[in-house]
Amino acid sequence: MNKGDLITSVARASGLTKLDAEKAINATFQSISASLKNGEYAFVMGFGRFTIAQRQETTGRNPRTGEKIQIPAKRVVRFTSAQPLKDAVALSPKEAAKIEEKQPKEIVKVEKPLKTKNNKR
């Protein structure tokens, strides 16, 4: 799923326009980024926690030349998933299908009746 797919999905699920959904998603990402830049963490209940970690300086190797190089220390983003997300991902395809069957289906309005064998229109 890319950002465009996420915007479309959020718009459909929430009843927002795509423009409003995009604004909401962008604001969410900006808020998480700002929190991480300030050295804080961002926790989304039921989804997970974004934190900052310090990666140590290490010695690497240039794959072309085999020469040893120093990789500098830097701050990186870490994500730890919450238990509900872990449980959702751990489901087998059959279990996921059973849960999906219980979800309400999207209602589609049909203006003209469909032609069937019994309806011969």
Side-chain angles (χ1 to χ4, degrees):
M1 173 181 280
N2 61 30
K3 188 175 178 183
D5 296 337
L6 179 62
I7 290 168
T8 302
S9 178
V10 169
R12 283 185 185 157
S14 65
L16 296 172
T17 64
K18 282 189 177 183
L19 185 61
D20 289 339
E22 182 177 13
K23 286 179 184 177
I25 289 168
N26 287 339
T28 302
F29 291 161
Q30 288 172 356
S31 297
I32 291 171
S33 296
S35 176
L36 294 172
K37 285 178 187 176
N38 292 332
E40 301 168 356
Y41 65 87
F43 180 72
V44 180
M45 183 70 93
F47 186 71
R49 179 187 294 221
F50 296 90
T51 57
I52 294 291
Q54 184 68 31
R55 187 178 286 168
Q56 298 293 324
E57 182 178 278
T58 60
T59 303
R61 186 181 67 82
N62 183 336
R64 287 188 180 178
T65 63
E67 176 186 347
K68 288 187 178 183
I69 56 173
Q70 282 300 112
I71 301 170
K74 65 179 179 178
R75 291 174 18 148
V76 294
V77 177
R78 304 263 185 203
F79 176 75
T80 305
S81 59
Q83 195 61 47
L85 180 59
K86 289 178 186 177
D87 293 343
V89 171
L91 292 177
S92 71
K94 288 181 182 179
E95 292 170 328
K98 286 180 186 177
I99 291 173
E100 193 172 305
E101 286 175 6
K102 293 178 184 177
Q103 298 296 325
K105 302 293 182 197
E106 188 175 328
I107 298 172
V108 179
K109 273 190 173 179
V110 179
E111 292 181 16
K112 295 181 181 178
L114 299 174
K115 291 182 182 179
T116 63
K117 291 181 182 179
N118 298 336
N119 191 358
K120 298 184 184 178
R121 288 187 181 192

